[in-house]
């Protein structure tokens, strides 16, 4: 195996081991040596790829962003939040990305609690995510708050729901959130999907 291929494989193994450990123990309870041991790599190999645990977490944040960007670039993406299908699409995307990256999402929040630097990184990322949705609420005639506050509230509702509504079947959760957010934005209900 070539050195470049081995480096790519080692980096991927470290990332996958970190995700498993963060899911099992939480970000704050995992040491770099735990990650390298779980990846079956020498302790020093970690520092050839990452400057520390926060740097690895930034790589996971990049993965999360890329997963989200797939939905944003899809042909079925709609940006008019007066259309329940546009809201459903965004709720579905958020629900799926969160489910696929739960350990990362939890680790991001934990890291932000103990590192002001990482808290700023996470806040910049959140701001960029909301900025990408800014035009989605421009269609809403009478939003419940300013566009920025409305998006912040929508994000908070979805984030809280995905964290606590873990027992709900995906389709029920998506439909419930879609109906809730549509009503919150538009002040009226719509006929649910058949």
């Amino acid at each position: 195996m070539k050195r470049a291929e081995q480096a790519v494989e080692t980096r991927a193994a470290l990332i996958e081991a970190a995700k498993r450990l963060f899911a099992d123990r939480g970000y704050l309870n995992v040491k770099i040596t735990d990650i390298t041991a779980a990846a079956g790599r020498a302790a020093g190999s970690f520092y050839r790829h990452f400057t520390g645990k926060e740097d690895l977490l930034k790589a996971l944040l990049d993965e999360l962003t890329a997963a989200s960007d797939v939905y944003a670039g899809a042909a079925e993406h709609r940006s008019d939040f007066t259309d329940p299908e546009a809201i459903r699409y965004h709720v579905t995307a958020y629900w799926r990305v969160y489910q696929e990256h739960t350990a990362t999402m939890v680790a991001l929040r934990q890291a932000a609690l103990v590192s002001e630097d990482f808290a700023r990184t996470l806040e910049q990322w959140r701001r960029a995510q909301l900025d990408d949705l800014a035009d989605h609420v421009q269609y809403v005639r009478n939003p419940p708050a300013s566009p920025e506050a409305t998006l912040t509230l929508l994000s908070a509702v979805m984030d809280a729901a995905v964290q606590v509504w873990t027992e709900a079947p995906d389709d029920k959760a998506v439909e419930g959130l879609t109906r809730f957010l549509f009503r919150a934005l538009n002040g009226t209900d719509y006929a649910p999907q058949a």
Side-chain angles (χ1 to χ4, degrees), residues 71-91 129-141 147 150-151 154 182 185-186:
Y71 288 97
E76 55 274 9
H77 175 258
R78 299 179 198 165
S79 59
D80 178 356
F81 275 0
T82 62
D83 177 0
E85 293 308 313
I87 295 173
R88 180 176 288 103
Y89 181 83
H90 286 81
V91 169
Q129 297 295 305
L130 292 180
D131 287 348
D132 287 346
L133 295 173
D135 65 329
H136 292 45
V137 295
Q138 75 181 3
Y139 302 97
V140 176
R141 286 195 187 133
T150 297
L151 288 171
L154 290 176
F182 183 86
L185 286 169
N186 297 289

Side-chain angles (χ1 to χ4, degrees), residues 15 18 22 27 46 50 52-64 103-112 118 121-122:
I15 286 173
F22 294 164
Y27 174 82
F46 184 92
F50 307 103
K53 230 169 50 164
E54 282 185 16
D55 191 35
L56 182 145
L57 194 52
K58 286 178 185 175
L60 294 179
L61 183 59
D62 290 343
E63 281 187 5
L64 178 66
T104 298
M105 296 292 281
V106 172
L108 293 169
R109 285 192 294 274
Q110 290 176 348
F118 199 80
T121 296
L122 186 55

